[in-house]
Amino acid sequence: MDIEKIIYKLYEENNATREELLYLLDNIDEKSRELLVNLAHKTRMKYYGNKVYVRGLIELTSYCKKDCKYCGLRRNNKNAQRYRLTKEEVLECVRKGDKLGYKTFVMQGGEDAYFTDEIMVDIIKSIKKEFPDNAITLSLGERSYESYKKMFDAGADRYLLRHESASKELYEDIHTNESFEYRRECLKNLKEIGYQTGAGFMVGIPNQTNEDLVNDFLFVKEFEPAMCGIGPFIPHKDTPLRDYPHGSLEKTITCLAIVRLLLPKVLLPATTALSSIDKTGRDQGIKAGGNVIMPNLSPMGVRKNYSLYDNKAYILDEDAEYRKMIGEKIESLGFEIETTRGDNPDFRK
Ligand code: SAM
Ligand code: SF4
């Protein structure tokens, strides 16, 4: 097989076979990565131009009933500091974000039974009442079809639920007693209900092979999510995976570029995790086809308690200063911050 041919096929046909994707991951070197990244950038320019979309991230709760082996919020982490935001605190974050030009708010949190459908519907409706033109993204984990539907009917537009890994064995290895099939059913339900749905996966999970990553590529190609969150695994000191190394920058960039070529119109964040392993991570992610960033809007006092992994980047940057810094940074890279809702062009509610 010829690696350049595979990369051009990805660029021209937005597709590749399992064998080709595996060959690409197994044999990629600096020169072929550069070609891959350049073609991913070209593809992004074709569909989105040089725009980078911003989403204000509100970390709603650090309580979680699940026990994912990699995450600092897992229920068995007795050192975790737990908090919940009130509706008024959420509204304050939203007002601050709107002023900074963020027209999408992402409410993310652990799976916290306190946030019942009733409470979420009330928060969603209150945000939409004040900001009817802004988009609401939820990322609250696995819930029932009825729950997703109620929140959608209340006005939520998008839902992020990473599939985490498309290999059943690896998924079950890092999620003890959780159902691989149910997570996928949730993703299917979200799409069916009408959410712009985001899947995604971590790169460098302990024991992850290139075959596992190819499973991720083939899964997202088939599922066609509107968004795809890809970031490196980073260890957290109070989890069972504390002693493993973080996922590599190069491999995460490779995965971002491949997903941009497989799904040319996908909304692809340059994640905070990527910035956390390397200070050029976000910039490299944007240059490899990434077109979304998610600045933190959470109240300053709780930020260090939303601790998914160690050494999280930018947690204590002041919002207005961060907004200015990020605008200048993005411009210096030849891109532009876009302050509209930034929907996937194939999805309009
Ligand atoms: N609880 C919801 C869920 O799991 O879907 C949403 C919040 S969860 C903290 C958001 C994402 O953080 C997860 O999908 C996971 O991929 C990522 N994450 C958690 N721990 C991580 C770690 N140690 N390194 C990198 N990413 C991590
Ligand atoms: Fe909870 Fe999400 Fe962390 Fe898993 S990844 S422990 S569901 S917050």
Side-chain angles (χ1 to χ4, degrees), residues 161-205:
L161 186 78
R162 289 185 179 183
H163 64 280
E164 311 294 4
S165 169
S167 299
K168 184 172 158 67
E169 208 178 310
L170 183 60
Y171 184 90
E172 289 175 349
D173 193 33
I174 54 176
H175 303 98
T176 317
N177 298 327
E178 295 293 340
S179 164
F180 173 76
E181 288 77 18
Y182 186 64
R183 189 130 185 126
R184 290 188 164 208
E185 195 179 315
C186 286
L187 277 165
K188 205 174 90 244
N189 289 343
L190 289 163
K191 211 173 178 186
E192 192 181 303
I193 289 167
Y195 282 99
Q196 295 177 46
T197 304
F201 55 95
M202 281 178 288
V203 179
I205 301 169

Side-chain angles (χ1 to χ4, degrees), residues 65 86 132 237 245 282:
K65 64 174 188 232
T86 62
K237 62 178 175 26
R282 183 194 48 219

